[in-house]
């Protein structure tokens, strides 16, 4: 399905939540069943997010019938999540308890009456039926359709064990299988909780003022333009703009930043953030389905439906693997008795054990559980990873290119140094700010901000005869004295030369990557003001961490070489590329990819779009405020903070390692168990333990990704 088709499918389809998925195979069967329902044109199941999207007309009852084989529960997407019963009380697990008690009683009776007696055999048969009836129904249906999955293999093995008189082992296998399924359900629910917790972040109701009334309204009924009243200690239910009040908001749920941010009139605020101390009135700017938190949840869920490369490999492998195991089981059962005069009952038993050990469950679940867990963990920490493929590629990164302005730096010029020559610094600053008020130059705002920070009232200063000197600066009269503010070149022309000591000072500041503005008269220089784009506090630390883990860091900028080198040295990047146009950045990314294969580009998601698209992994900063960043990047750092980048690399590398461990382990444990066939040592007990153990271990191994912290 192309991106365009997927988009139109999403728009036309109705979404339902599904409860009870245990494996990708069951999800695929459910998808087929739904597609075959009357009135359904198409259906798409998202296993990671436990959703089904249906194009056409159907009802929840019909969908539940389609999922009856797995006892799936369906609810409308907008419906509140029903709290699940505690794990040990769940209906599916009660039959396991009854079956286990019957098995134990039958085993005790067999000690008294002997293995062959009909009383313990009846007990074992009852245990098999109670514990495995749902398994047999699925297995026999699949057998008729020649669909060989886990349930089919288990059904054949258990019924075969009963036929050759191994009632006790058949019953034990049923119980072990039921336990493994219950534990699998439990661990998959645990993995999915990372997304479910995101859904619970924003409240479902808000206090809204309509006319003179203040009423609690469900978020579905809140309109754009409504005024929301948010009291201290409450969470915001919708995105909006503050129209009254000042408060600090904890935005950790959206951006992952634990430090609260001050918000006042005209500031943008997000649903799911916590109002700490002030009373705010917020005008709603987006409907509930368009809020930032809704977009995050939607993108995270879509990301989990994206197949990681290793998952695609596993799915292809499993397609050939399962029929191969059936053929192997058959050969083990018939070749030794036919060719080597082996005992039929012993080798049929070995063949059945091969079927059980060959179940591809652990292998099939090895990748999706790791991907679901890692993406959920990242989202809770303010990092949006838009698919398993990007997760895996981030783990393989060798080089990261950074845009300078707005990424490594704050993107806002600020005054860094003021040097005065024999005059009152504050007064000179006041005069400079008053003159610059009339200028359009981007550095003028930095000087005015500095004057405001120092509490200087420059608006009262009378400025006359203001005139711009093209490309060099401005001049104006203040208190009948003519002042000039501009580049050192302007004063070279005015004074024919600049004093050596002042010139050295200017050169020193310029080599530090600062832009120097000069204030003076036509006779002398009064002060130097250095302005620079300030470095982000986190940049140096982030670059150091990345260099330590063996990633080449490159800074890309349109600035001149001297400024670029000054900032590059300060921040510690391993390579600097200056004087670049947007297409130069694009070409450089292509060069890096040719050299390293895996390359990330970090930018602000707007003017860096071509370079972000050309990199293996495009990382956008400040996704919480910009739709562009959310749409174009493969990974969006929701806060305007690079500090999340090393955490993302660490999480991705760990996920990649865990996926490889899972695939290797699930194949190795099966290979070892299958080798036991040669001396005839493979029992149904060992087979089920090998299969169950492998599935549980790969799932628990994947859950370690929940523990990755910054």
């Amino acid at each position: 399905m192309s991106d365009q088709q997927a988009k139109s499918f999403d728009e036309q389809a109705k979404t339902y939540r599904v409860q009870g998925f245990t494996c990708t195979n069951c999800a695929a069967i459910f998808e087929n069943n739904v597609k075959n329902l009357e009135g359904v044109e198409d259906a798409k199941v998202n296993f990671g997010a436990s959703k089904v999207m249906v194009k056409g007309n159907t009802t929840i009852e019909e969908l539940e019938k389609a999922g009856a084989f797995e006892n799936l529960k369906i609810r409308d997407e907008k419906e509140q999540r029903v709290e699940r019963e505690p794990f040990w009380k769940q209906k599916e697990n009660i039959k396991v308890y009854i079956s286990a008690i019957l098995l134990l009683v039958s085993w005790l009776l067999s000690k008294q009456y002997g293995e062959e007696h009909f009383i313990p055999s009846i007990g074992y048969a009852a245990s098999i039926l109670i514990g495995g009836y749902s398994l047999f129904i699925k297995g026999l249906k699949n057998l008729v359709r020649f669909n060989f999955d886990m349930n089919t293999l288990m059904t054949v093995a258990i019924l075969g064990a009963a036929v050759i008189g191994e009632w006790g082992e058949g019953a034990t296998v049923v119980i072990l299988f039921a336990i493994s399924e219950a534990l699998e359900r439990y661990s998959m629910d645990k993995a999915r909780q990372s997304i479910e917790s995101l859904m619970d972040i924003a409240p479902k109701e808000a206090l809204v003022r309509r006319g003179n009334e203040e009423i609690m309204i469900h978020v579905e009924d809140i309109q754009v333009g409504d005024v929301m009243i948010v009291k201290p200690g409450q969470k915001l239910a919708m995105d909006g703009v503050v129209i009254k009040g000042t408060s600090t908001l904890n935005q950790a749920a959206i951006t992952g930043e634990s430090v609260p941010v001050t918000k006042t009139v005209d500031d943008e605020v997000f649903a799911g953030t916590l109002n700490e101390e002030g009373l705010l009135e917020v005008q709603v700017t987006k409907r509930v389905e368009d809020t930032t938190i809704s977009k995050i949840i939607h993108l995270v869920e879509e990301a989990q439906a994206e197949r990681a490369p290793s998952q695609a490999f596993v799915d292809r492998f499993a397609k050939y693997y399962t029929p191969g195991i059936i053929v192997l089981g058959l050969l083990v059962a018939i070749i030794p008795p036919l060719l080597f005069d082996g005992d039929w009952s012993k080798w049929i038993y070995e063949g059945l054990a091969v079927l059980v050990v060959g179940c591809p469950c652990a292998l099939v679940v090895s990748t999706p559980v790791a991907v679901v867990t890692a993406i959920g963990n990242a989202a809770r920490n303010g990092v949006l990873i838009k698919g398993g493929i990007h997760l895996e590629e981030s783990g393989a990164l060798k080089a990261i290119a950074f845009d300078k302005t707005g990424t490594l730096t704050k993107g806002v010029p600020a005054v860094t140094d003021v040097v005065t020559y024999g005059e009152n610094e504050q007064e000179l600053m006041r005069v400079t700010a008053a003159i610059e008020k009339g200028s359009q130059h981007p550095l003028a705002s930095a000087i005015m901000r500095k004057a405001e920070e120092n509490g200087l009232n420059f608006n009262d200063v009378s400025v006359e005869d203001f005139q711009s000197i093209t490309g060099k600066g401005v001049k104006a009269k203040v208190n009948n004295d003519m002042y000039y503010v501009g580049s050192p070149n302007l004063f070279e022309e005015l004074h024919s030369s600049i004093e050596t000591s002042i010139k050295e000072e200017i050169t020193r500041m310029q080599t530090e990557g600062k832009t120097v503005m000069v204030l003076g008269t036509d006779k002398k220089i009064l002060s130097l003001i250095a302005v620079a784009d300030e470095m982000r506090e986190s940049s140096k630390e982030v670059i150091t961490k990345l260099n330590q883990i063996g990633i080449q860091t490159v800074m890309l900028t349109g600035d001149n070489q001297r400024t670029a080198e000054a900032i590059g040295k300060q921040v510690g990047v391993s390579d600097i590329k200056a004087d670049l146009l947007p297409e130069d950045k694009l070409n450089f990314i292509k060069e890096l990819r040719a050299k390293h294969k895996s390359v990330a580009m970090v930018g602000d998601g707007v003017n860096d779009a071509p370079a972000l698209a050309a990199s293996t992994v495009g990382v956008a900063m400040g996704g919480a405020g910009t739709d562009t960043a959310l749409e174009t990047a493969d990974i969006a750092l929701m806060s305007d903070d690079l500090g999340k980048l090393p955490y993302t690399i660490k999480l991705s590398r760990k996920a990649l390692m865990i996926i490889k461990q899972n695939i290797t382990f699930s194949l190795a444990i099966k290979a070892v168990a299958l080798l036991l066939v040669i001396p005839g040592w493979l029992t149904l007990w060992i087979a089920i333990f090998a299969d169950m153990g492998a599935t549980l271990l790969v799932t628990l191994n994947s859950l370690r990704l929940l523990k990755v912290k910054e």
Side-chain angles (χ1 to χ4, degrees):
M1 210 183 266
S2 73
D3 286 356
Q4 204 55 45
Q5 285 172 313
K7 219 163 211 165
S8 72
F9 181 91
D10 287 356
E11 282 159 13
Q12 294 167 24
K14 182 160 173 45
T15 306
Y16 300 89
R17 299 260 160 210
V18 185
Q19 212 166 322
F21 277 148
T22 51
C23 66
T24 46
N25 198 33
C26 319
I29 295 167
F30 176 59
E31 183 174 281
N32 273 334
N33 290 356
V34 174
K35 281 178 181 171
N36 293 330
L37 287 176
E38 205 176 319
V40 172
E41 293 170 45
D42 199 2
K44 195 166 76 174
V45 165
N46 177 338
F47 171 70
S50 270
K51 291 197 308 188
V52 60
M53 282 168 282
V54 182
K55 197 169 158 189
N57 295 316
T58 189
T59 61
I60 287 178
E61 290 73 29
E62 287 295 310
L63 290 171
E64 287 194 338
K65 271 186 204 164
F69 71 97
E70 187 74 344
N71 200 17
L72 300 178
K73 293 279 166 277
I74 315 288
R75 68 176 201 275
D76 193 287
E77 189 180 31
K78 293 188 173 78
E79 252 180 68
Q80 282 285 306
R81 180 161 55 105
V82 184
E83 273 307 308
R84 283 204 79 162
E85 281 184 297
F87 176 68
W88 57 274
K89 270 192 193 171
Q90 283 168 21
K91 202 165 68 181
E92 305 96 300
N93 299 337
I94 291 169
K95 63 180 186 188
V96 183
Y97 309 145
I98 298 168
S99 191
I101 292 164
L102 279 170
L103 174 69
L104 186 64
V105 170
S106 307
W107 179 74
L108 292 170
L109 289 171
S110 72
K111 292 291 166 210
Q112 194 175 341
Y113 295 107
E115 283 287 342
E116 305 301 318
H117 199 276
F118 78 94
I119 291 178
S121 295
I122 289 170
Y124 286 136
S127 174
I128 288 175
L129 283 172
I130 291 167
Y133 70 89
S134 56
L135 163 73
F136 299 145
I137 291 165
K138 294 180 217 170
L140 293 168
K141 275 184 186 170
N142 288 343
L143 198 56
V144 172
R145 296 188 196 121
F146 289 99
N147 179 3
F148 294 100
D149 71 347
M150 174 83 183
N151 300 303
T152 323
L153 300 182
M154 292 301 290
T155 303
V156 170
I158 293 159
L159 295 179
V163 168
I164 57 174
E166 297 287 349
W167 289 97
E169 284 215 18
T172 311
V173 167
V174 164
I175 285 172
L176 289 174
F177 179 67
I179 291 170
S180 93
E181 274 209 315
L183 289 171
E184 218 175 287
R185 261 198 316 277
Y186 174 72
S187 35
M188 266 321 288
D189 281 351
K190 198 106 180 99
R192 287 199 186 99
Q193 271 167 17
S194 47
I195 297 185
E196 296 274 8
S197 64
L198 279 178
M199 289 176 191
D200 296 337
I201 284 171
K204 297 290 174 272
E205 289 187 318
L207 185 63
V208 170
R209 182 186 297 128
R210 285 190 177 161
N212 298 324
E213 268 190 297
E214 289 182 6
I215 42 173
M216 286 299 284
I217 297 183
H218 194 275
V219 286
E220 293 287 331
D221 304 319
I222 295 176
Q223 302 296 322
V224 170
D226 275 343
V227 175
M228 223 173 25
I229 293 155
V230 190
K231 294 174 182 171
Q234 286 186 339
K235 280 185 175 178
L236 277 76
M238 306 286 275
D239 284 13
V241 170
V242 177
I243 55 169
K244 189 177 174 187
T246 300
S247 183
T248 53
L249 259 64
N250 185 328
Q251 302 194 136
I254 305 285
T255 64
E257 297 166 289
S258 50
V259 180
V261 182
T262 303
K263 298 281 183 180
T264 187
V265 176
D266 291 341
D267 283 343
E268 192 178 10
V269 288
F270 306 112
T273 55
L274 177 69
N275 180 21
E276 296 206 329
E277 72 237 351
L279 181 75
L280 291 178
E281 289 192 13
V282 175
Q283 188 163 34
V284 175
T285 53
K286 290 176 183 170
R287 286 189 53 74
V288 65
E289 60 269 21
D290 300 323
T291 60
T292 304
I293 189 77
S294 299
K295 275 193 175 161
I296 293 171
I297 292 164
H298 178 71
L299 288 167
V300 168
E301 292 187 332
E302 291 314 299
Q304 295 183 334
E306 290 279 316
R307 299 199 153 208
S310 48
Q311 191 179 340
F313 155 75
V314 163
D315 290 348
R316 280 199 310 275
F317 182 80
K319 214 159 102 183
Y320 302 106
Y321 168 85
T322 310
I325 285 290
I326 291 166
V327 171
L328 181 66
L330 195 63
L331 294 175
V332 166
I334 62 173
I335 285 177
L338 284 177
L339 301 182
F340 306 106
D341 210 20
D343 175 12
W344 276 99
S345 117
K346 173 183 164 44
W347 286 103
I348 287 172
Y349 176 84
E350 287 290 325
L352 295 173
V354 166
L355 290 189
V356 174
V357 86
C359 286
C361 242
L363 185 65
V364 171
V365 95
S366 59
T367 306
V369 183
V371 169
V372 167
T373 311
I375 289 176
N377 181 0
R380 285 213 318 277
N381 281 291
V383 178
L384 206 53
I385 301 174
K386 288 167 66 179
I389 185 164
H390 309 307
L391 179 75
E392 286 195 17
E393 281 173 343
S394 303
L397 286 175
K398 298 283 186 294
I400 300 179
F402 294 87
D403 174 47
K404 177 185 80 78
T405 310
T407 302
L408 291 173
T409 65
K410 289 179 181 170
V412 181
V415 172
T416 53
D417 306 71
V418 178
V419 180
T420 54
Y421 296 100
E423 302 272 344
N424 179 330
E425 183 183 318
Q426 301 286 53
E427 186 53 35
L428 288 176
M429 194 56 155
R430 205 161 79 96
V431 169
T432 314
I435 295 169
E436 285 290 11
K437 203 169 89 168
S439 167
Q440 296 300 307
H441 199 280
L443 301 181
S445 56
I447 291 169
M448 283 149 64
R449 265 198 311 277
K450 180 72 174 173
E452 279 166 7
E453 281 167 24
N454 292 352
L456 306 174
N457 188 353
F458 56 86
N459 292 314
D460 295 350
V461 178
S462 161
V463 178
E464 295 164 354
D465 302 340
F466 178 88
Q467 201 182 331
S468 179
I469 306 162
T470 312
K472 290 179 185 140
V474 294
K475 66 176 182 175
K477 247 186 203 174
V478 176
N479 300 334
N480 286 327
D481 290 327
M482 182 62 82
Y483 289 95
Y484 293 81
V485 182
S487 66
N489 293 349
L490 172 67
F491 286 86
E492 290 264 5
E493 286 176 21
L494 270 177
H495 299 170
S496 70
S497 73
I498 297 175
E499 274 180 51
T500 314
S501 62
I502 297 177
K503 201 160 189 178
E504 280 172 4
E505 189 67 46
I506 290 170
T507 311
R508 179 189 68 76
M509 292 198 270
Q510 282 176 334
T511 41
E512 287 172 8
K514 296 165 184 172
T515 305
V516 180
M517 315 269 283
V518 184
L519 168 73
T521 63
D522 51 7
K523 300 280 185 292
K524 63 175 185 170
I525 287 174
L526 300 170
S527 79
L528 307 177
I529 300 168
V531 176
D533 185 1
E534 274 188 300
M535 191 64 64
R536 285 181 188 274
E537 290 82 0
S538 58
S539 294
K540 191 172 171 47
E541 188 190 344
V542 167
I543 298 293
T544 308
K545 279 182 183 171
L546 292 173
N547 288 337
Q548 279 168 355
I549 57 174
I551 287 177
Q552 182 191 345
T553 50
V554 186
M555 184 180 85
L556 309 180
T557 178
D559 267 358
N560 63 61
Q561 191 70 32
R562 193 158 67 173
T563 307
E565 278 182 5
I567 286 172
K569 280 194 185 113
Q570 199 182 330
V571 81
V573 288
S574 39
D575 204 354
I576 298 157
K577 297 285 170 202
D579 297 312
L580 300 177
L581 297 168
E583 58 264 34
D584 298 330
K585 286 185 186 178
L586 178 67
N587 293 331
F588 182 71
I589 292 289
K590 286 179 180 169
E591 278 172 41
L592 264 183
R593 274 191 77 165
K595 185 178 165 190
H596 289 298
K597 282 204 181 130
S598 268
V599 176
M601 167 76 191
V602 185
D604 57 14
V606 186
N607 59 354
D608 301 312
L612 284 172
S615 57
T616 327
V617 181
V619 182
M621 298 270 293
T626 58
D627 288 350
T628 325
L630 287 177
E631 296 302 327
T632 58
D634 303 318
I635 294 177
L637 307 179
M638 299 307 287
S639 64
D640 219 13
D641 173 22
L642 276 177
K644 301 283 174 194
L645 200 55
Y647 153 77
T648 309
I649 305 290
K650 183 170 135 190
L651 178 73
S652 303
R653 284 185 172 183
K654 186 109 189 238
L656 203 53
M657 183 180 80
I658 280 177
I659 287 168
K660 284 176 181 166
Q661 282 172 356
N662 285 353
I663 293 171
T664 310
F665 180 78
S666 48
L667 287 174
I669 204 163
K670 291 188 184 306
V672 169
L674 288 171
L675 287 174
L676 295 177
V677 170
I678 298 167
W681 295 344
L682 183 63
T683 66
L684 281 175
W685 289 64
I686 294 173
I688 191 77
F689 268 120
D691 178 66
M692 178 174 111
T695 306
L696 282 180
L697 279 167
V698 299
T699 310
L700 294 171
N701 193 29
S702 300
L703 292 180
R704 289 197 299 137
L705 287 164
L706 287 174
K707 295 204 163 58
V708 177
K709 300 257 188 317
E710 283 183 63

